[in-house]
Amino acid sequence: MARKAVAADDNVRRVYDQVLVDITKYVYHYDVQSPRAWTCAKFALLDALGCALETLTESEEARALIGPVIPGTTVPNGFRLPGTPYQLDILKGSFDLGSLIGYLDHNDAYPGAEWGHPSDNIGAILAVADWLSRTARASGQVSLTMEKVLLGLIKAYEIQGCFQIRNAFDQVGLDHTLLVKIASTAVVSWLLDLTENQAMDALSQAWMDSAPLRVFRQHPNTGPRKGWAAGDACMRAVHLAWLTKKGQPGASTVLTTPRWGFYATLFNGREFQLPRPFGSWVIESVFFKIHAVEGHGASAVEAAVEVGEELRESGLSVERDIAHIHVRTQQAAMTIINKQGPLHNAADRDHCMQYMIAVVLMKGSMIESADYQDKSPWAKDPYVEALRKKIDLVEDPQFTADYHDKKKRSASNGLTVTLNNGTKMDEVLCEYPVGHPWRKETTSSVKGKLKKNIEGWYGKGGKAQNILKLEPLREEDFRKMQVCDFVDRFAGD
Ligand SMILES: C[C@H](C(=O)O)[C@@](O)(CC(=O)O)C(=O)O
């Protein structure tokens, strides 16, 4: 049978995909004008470093992953990993910091069609900036200041958040840390002084890499990889920017090439949708995690605290009197944290709304990071197990619509308890959990969290107080600080 003639590929190199151009232009040329963006950036940076120290305090599993691959290695002018004595190369440094920030899932988050943590990017940005700053100082040159770190942070948040609003990577099974890889590659390329064409090449490398499968966040495989997924993305971003700086070319039409590009291969042929030009919106409206819960469960644990108080006030017992708890929730929670059956590890527990609610009710107070760990008494508590089975989640489509509505931006959960005697209590509804940018207690609560996390690792002494002084520092003074001086405040022994 005669074969149909197929025209040979013309093999002409096209101009760069528009998405690569837009990201690069934004990172290299956008001037951040909003004073609020700078204030929020400093706050977000400190919150993220507080989360890193909290991970060191709470997670043995995470502590085992950090430090030089070859024990004893100290890299001259290397990145000083906060909370530790380690001085690392920028690949291991960005992996370690990204992992410490994200491990307990307590760092800030941003909602949308996809959900993720913009502060994950700090692992890459701070590691590279600190190394550049130390290297410059060691050779008598002007060292990088915190202004550059904050600017990079604002831009990384914006890139990641704008992509999240309309593009759901979970629907094609990819992990959202893909966006950390993209945003960090762009910002690190700028920090490392790549040309704009090189930055686009590096970005194309990041899209070629794509992302790991999301399988490690979902039952029945939820596991600790979700703790280091951000670190992994940070490390890869730094590596790709570095490889490009050393002369590696990219693939200018990595997204749009028919058959082989990202859209055709991994995104069902769809193109990305970006809701608005990049600015500084995301850093100004990020959601802080005050309580250690997956973001879509934050309002549920707040409601559970109230339910617990009502039960106690009525003389009722959580163990004996509850027949059933019905939870109205949003679609994202249904996908991420609706789980029955055995919970195998801390990551599995912190992605289970039934566990969070049951622990809050049994404890009679808010759940904390330590309560998810294997060694926590709640992890094996028979009453928590029994209560989990009585909790069921149902999506309320209105909650889902309100979650995506940019005027409402709620993250609601409503809990209704039915008692063994058949009485149905009034629903306790929480639409805007603390940490939401619209809740007035958010700022004071972030400050409280920072203090707790810093003193949790360093105690209440001089070291902790020296770090805490950074928070009220005047903005201009903070921005002028040299990066290595900032990072040195966090170094541990
Ligand atoms: C962003 C989410 C959170 O609020 O913690 C998330 O749970 C989302 C997810 O699992 O995809 C996370 O772990 O990053």
Side-chain angles (χ1 to χ4, degrees):
M1 197 174 63
R3 286 203 174 188
K4 207 171 143 218
V6 178
D9 290 335
D10 65 10
N11 203 25
V12 173
R13 293 274 159 105
R14 315 274 185 230
V15 289
Y16 288 99
D17 282 336
Q18 194 57 41
V19 168
L20 307 183
V21 177
D22 292 345
I23 296 176
T24 305
K25 282 210 172 336
Y26 167 68
V27 170
Y28 279 66
H29 302 291
Y30 184 82
D31 193 13
V32 175
Q33 296 288 357
S34 156
R36 192 175 138 74
W38 292 99
T39 316
C40 294
K42 176 184 153 198
F43 213 46
L45 174 65
L46 293 174
D47 176 62
L49 293 177
C51 291
L53 298 183
E54 185 188 16
T55 300
L56 287 169
T57 309
E58 300 297 346
S59 177
E60 203 177 320
E61 198 178 87
R63 284 197 300 273
L65 304 182
I66 58 160
V69 173
I70 300 176
T73 315
T74 294
V75 176
N77 301 319
F79 168 52
R80 289 190 80 181
L81 183 67
T84 76
Y86 304 131
Q87 190 150 20
L88 304 165
D89 72 81
I90 52 175
L91 296 192
K92 189 62 170 61
S94 53
F95 176 88
D96 285 6
L97 183 60
S99 302
L100 288 178
I101 291 172
Y103 211 88
L104 300 177
D105 217 339
H106 204 173
N107 55 325
D108 62 21
Y110 199 73
E114 180 66 69
W115 33 80
H117 304 268
S119 46
D120 287 347
N121 290 286
I122 292 168
I125 298 171
L126 196 62
V128 171
D130 184 48
W131 166 63
L132 291 173
S133 159
R134 284 177 206 282
T135 310
R137 183 179 276 180
S139 56
Q141 287 163 2
V142 183
S143 163
L144 219 68
T145 64
M146 288 307 287
E147 172 151 340
K148 195 142 188 183
V149 168
L150 296 185
L151 191 54
L153 182 157
I154 292 169
K155 292 185 174 180
Y157 271 56
E158 186 72 5
I159 296 165
Q160 171 158 349
C162 283
F163 269 94
Q164 278 180 218
I165 292 171
R166 301 239 175 101
N167 306 289
F169 296 92
D170 68 308
Q171 277 173 18
V172 289
L174 296 178
D175 193 52
H176 56 66
T177 50
L178 166 62
L179 294 176
V180 176
K181 196 184 289 181
I182 299 302
S184 286
T185 298
V187 171
V188 168
S189 297
W190 167 74
L191 285 174
L192 290 177
D193 260 340
L194 271 65
T195 65
E196 287 180 52
N197 274 8
Q198 284 179 314
M200 290 190 279
D201 286 336
L203 273 170
S204 76
Q205 294 283 358
W207 287 114
M208 276 189 258
D209 248 36
S210 174
L213 297 181
R214 193 192 145 77
V215 66
F216 52 78
R217 285 188 204 270
Q218 297 290 149
H219 60 86
N221 294 296
T222 318
R225 181 164 179 163
K226 88 176 175 59
W228 52 264
D232 201 27
C234 289
M235 173 174 75
R236 192 67 183 145
V238 173
H239 201 186
L240 294 174
W242 182 86
L243 286 167
T244 312
K245 191 175 169 73
K246 296 291 166 190
Q248 286 297 304
S252 57
T253 53
V254 60
L255 298 172
T256 57
T257 299
R259 182 165 176 201
W260 305 109
F262 184 93
Y263 292 150
T265 315
L266 295 170
F267 218 52
N268 293 330
R270 277 175 292 128
E271 296 194 356
F272 298 136
Q273 289 181 40
L274 292 167
R276 53 170 182 261
F278 298 124
S280 61
W281 168 263
V282 175
I283 186 68
E284 295 179 48
S285 55
V286 80
F287 177 85
F288 286 99
K289 292 229 196 148
I290 305 305
H291 305 303
V293 284
E294 199 282 338
H296 304 94
S299 58
V301 290
E302 230 173 284
V305 169
E306 208 175 311
V307 167
E309 280 162 14
E310 283 180 23
L311 289 169
R312 272 192 301 283
E313 279 163 18
S314 315
L316 294 161
S317 142
V318 171
E319 292 95 316
R320 284 189 311 275
D321 294 318
I322 295 180
H324 179 245
I325 302 177
H326 175 74
V327 183
R328 278 199 299 149
T329 193
Q330 355 80 36
Q331 181 270 328
M334 295 301 287
T335 309
I336 308 174
I337 48 178
N338 180 20
K339 201 182 279 176
Q340 288 293 354
L343 297 173
H344 303 280
N345 49 53
D348 217 2
R349 284 178 213 108
D350 76 32
H351 266 43
C352 175
M353 182 161 351
Q354 286 87 344
Y355 181 83
M356 300 169 199
I357 295 174
V359 171
V360 169
L361 289 173
M362 286 303 303
K363 248 182 109 169
S365 60
M366 189 49 82
I367 191 162
E368 293 170 294
S369 300
D371 301 328
Y372 298 105
Q373 304 304 311
D374 292 343
K375 58 177 193 280
S376 161
W378 299 116
K380 297 195 180 57
D381 187 86
Y383 291 109
V384 167
E385 279 307 291
L387 199 49
R388 274 179 56 211
K389 296 197 180 97
K390 298 179 187 173
I391 302 174
D392 80 289
L393 274 55
V394 175
E395 180 192 352
D396 183 326
Q398 190 58 49
F399 283 6
T400 305
D402 292 347
Y403 171 84
H404 292 292
D405 178 346
K406 59 178 189 306
K407 292 212 179 71
K408 275 220 93 177
R409 304 182 66 222
S410 54
S412 306
N413 280 287
L415 270 58
T416 308
V417 174
T418 305
L419 300 172
N420 280 330
N421 66 11
T423 311
K424 208 180 228 186
M425 296 172 67
D426 289 342
E427 180 185 65
V428 177
L429 172 66
C430 178
E431 293 181 283
Y432 296 94
V434 62
H436 190 286
W438 297 353
R439 272 280 287 265
K440 64 175 184 335
E441 313 90 305
T442 294
T443 305
S444 58
S445 305
V446 176
K447 288 183 191 172
K449 172 186 170 192
L450 182 67
K451 188 167 172 359
K452 186 169 175 223
N453 283 341
I454 288 168
E455 292 182 350
W457 183 240
Y458 281 121
K460 290 187 192 297
K463 177 96 202 161
Q465 301 321 312
N466 208 21
I467 298 175
L468 286 168
K469 278 188 203 146
L470 290 165
E471 193 277 313
L473 197 65
R474 279 192 335 149
E475 198 116 336
E476 306 86 273
D477 297 334
F478 186 83
R479 282 205 233 169
K480 277 192 224 129
M481 259 184 115
Q482 304 206 351
V483 180
C484 51
D485 291 334
F486 171 82
V487 171
D488 281 346
R489 291 220 192 178
F490 287 84
D493 350 278

